[in-house]
Amino acid sequence: MIEASGNRFGVRFRWLHWWRLLLSGALLCGAVLCGCTASPERFDVKSLAKTDIDLVADVHRSATQALLQQLHQKLYLRNPRQLHRAPGESIETRWQQVSKLALADHGAAELGGVRSIEAMRLAFDEGFQGDRVFALMVGLATMLSEAYGYKQEFYWMDNLDQQALYNSARNIEVMVWLLRTSKGPAGAPLILTDSVIEGGVNLSFERLFGKLIAHQDALSEVMQGKTQRAVNRVAHGLVSMTFLPL
């Protein structure tokens, strides 16, 4: 009887020991999580599903979106007549439309449903009577969204196409060339960008374009290293005349 009671006591003791260990572990995890959420940089469980490359892609995607918004505002401030072609619209409402279209599977009705490269071409069509800035921004935003796989965030199962990222950078260069060379019937640029100012030239647009190109090229290089697949590069002279498919 004494031996049986001792065995039962031993079992209860071991069970109590493991229960205390589990409880201590749970309290420790809770303390860690509380500490993370109380810090200035809040802990996000989703970050556990991200690799270093995913975090890098997130940074480039976020920076690209911010640059697009800056470019959108600057283009309308430089080309107010284009906004007047869309009665009742403002710079802010136009940006909301561009942002939604960037993640949609269709284009804007006023642009005939075109998007990406086709919308960018439309912006430089002499016969187009609509809002050229809107057409250009819809084209640029949807093209970049396609290069990012229509995603705003990236996780370890996501893969980006390094060739699409590279081609999107070259297409921005084509767009910049068209902004410089496309003229209307009177010889004025179809869309105004950088301007001559007293003492030099205002190159604020050039800087924005350069940053957009740099982000696409940098992420293309990162993805090339990850996938070990080389990018098919094009001759520089051809880039200035032809949009590349993604």
Side-chain angles (χ1 to χ4, degrees):
M1 292 293 295
I2 296 175
E3 182 177 355
S5 299
N7 288 338
R8 286 196 297 272
F9 177 77
V11 170
R12 285 198 301 269
F13 178 79
R14 286 194 295 272
W15 181 88
L16 182 60
H17 174 70
W18 285 112
W19 185 86
R20 285 176 175 172
L21 286 178
L22 289 173
L23 180 60
S24 299
L27 291 174
L28 178 61
C29 289
V32 170
L33 289 175
C34 289
C36 290
T37 55
S39 64
E41 298 180 0
R42 296 178 65 84
F43 176 79
D44 189 349
V45 175
K46 292 189 296 183
S47 65
L48 298 176
K50 291 179 178 288
T51 66
D52 290 344
I53 291 179
D54 296 326
L55 295 173
V56 169
D58 284 348
V59 170
H60 284 290
R61 185 69 175 104
S62 178
T64 297
Q65 189 71 1
L67 289 169
L68 284 174
Q69 188 169 10
Q70 291 179 46
L71 179 61
H72 174 91
Q73 184 173 26
K74 285 178 66 65
L75 282 172
Y76 272 120
L77 292 176
R78 188 77 174 90
N79 300 270
R81 291 182 180 180
Q82 297 301 321
L83 189 59
H84 296 160
R85 295 183 178 185
E89 299 290 356
S90 65
I91 296 176
E92 290 73 21
T93 59
R94 277 315 215 187
W95 174 247
Q96 292 171 7
Q97 293 166 20
V98 168
S99 299
K100 289 180 180 178
L101 286 168
L103 299 177
D105 59 357
H106 58 81
E110 67 184 270
L111 303 179
V114 299
R115 53 192 284 116
S116 190
I117 294 170
E118 294 304 318
M120 294 167 74
R121 287 198 182 105
L122 184 63
F124 299 105
D125 185 338
E126 288 188 23
F128 179 57
Q129 298 299 313
D131 182 346
R132 293 185 186 277
V133 170
F134 182 66
L136 185 67
M137 288 305 305
V138 167
L140 181 58
T142 54
M143 181 198 69
L144 291 175
S145 184
E146 181 180 352
Y148 283 103
Y150 299 100
K151 298 180 183 295
Q152 298 282 19
E153 277 191 278
F154 304 93
Y155 299 94
W156 69 275
M157 289 292 288
D158 296 327
N159 276 317
L160 291 173
D161 186 336
Q162 66 276 2
Q163 189 68 53
L165 291 164
Y166 172 85
N167 287 3
S168 68
R170 305 292 74 77
N171 286 342
I172 297 174
E173 292 177 350
V174 174
M175 182 192 73
V176 173
W177 178 75
L178 289 171
L179 284 168
R180 293 173 181 165
T181 60
S182 298
K183 309 290 183 182
L190 292 174
I191 301 175
L192 299 172
T193 52
D194 291 322
S195 58
V196 178
I197 58 176
E198 185 177 353
V201 180
N202 178 3
L203 297 176
S204 58
F205 281 98
E206 285 286 333
R207 287 191 286 272
L208 282 177
F209 296 140
K211 290 177 181 179
L212 281 171
I213 293 168
H215 278 293
Q216 302 308 103
D217 276 335
L219 191 52
S220 176
E221 291 291 334
V222 169
M223 297 310 300
Q224 184 177 205
K226 176 185 178 182
T227 63
Q228 296 298 304
R229 293 197 298 267
V231 167
N232 295 321
R233 303 181 184 276
V234 297
H236 183 73
L238 298 176
V239 168
S240 63
M241 296 181 288
T242 308
F243 284 116
L244 303 174
L246 300 191

